[in-house]
Amino acid sequence: MIEQGLYEDAKELATKRLIVMQLEEEMKRQNISKSAMAEKMHTSRTAVDNVLDFTHNTSIGILERFAAVLGKRVQIALV
């Protein structure tokens, strides 16, 4: 994969997938539907679906805003 230049893309996609999975788990834990989440974020249900689609080009800022509505924060570290 490294030779084909796909390693970084795969790593980024895996990271986004992990964040999305955690957001979905927190929504379930708090019993918040996608429609309720859209209302809390003052956006559409389609926009929430896009955030929860890890293949969609969602910015870190949107992920942070989504997490904040759930009372959480996204933490990215340089190690």
Side-chain angles (χ1 to χ4, degrees):
M1 243 198 310
I2 292 173
E3 287 94 23
Q4 296 172 349
L6 299 176
Y7 176 75
E8 289 301 320
D9 289 342
K11 187 173 151 185
E12 180 180 340
L13 200 58
T15 301
K16 279 184 71 175
R17 186 174 192 169
L18 179 61
I19 292 169
V20 166
M21 287 173 54
Q22 291 173 337
L23 291 172
E24 288 177 320
E25 286 175 19
E26 189 60 28
M27 285 175 62
K28 286 179 188 173
R29 192 184 74 71
Q30 293 184 27
N31 198 30
I32 297 175
S33 68
K34 290 179 181 180
S35 296
M37 192 68 187
E39 189 175 316
K40 289 174 180 276
M41 292 186 69
H42 307 287
T43 192
S44 68
R45 164 74 191 268
T46 301
V48 169
D49 284 335
N50 288 341
V51 171
L52 296 175
D53 176 1
F54 67 91
T55 63
H56 189 267
N57 190 19
T58 303
S59 72
I60 293 172
I62 297 297
L63 293 173
E64 289 174 325
R65 187 170 153 230
F66 199 99
V69 168
L70 295 170
K72 300 293 181 179
R73 61 187 178 91
V74 174
Q75 183 176 357
I76 300 173
L78 182 65
V79 292

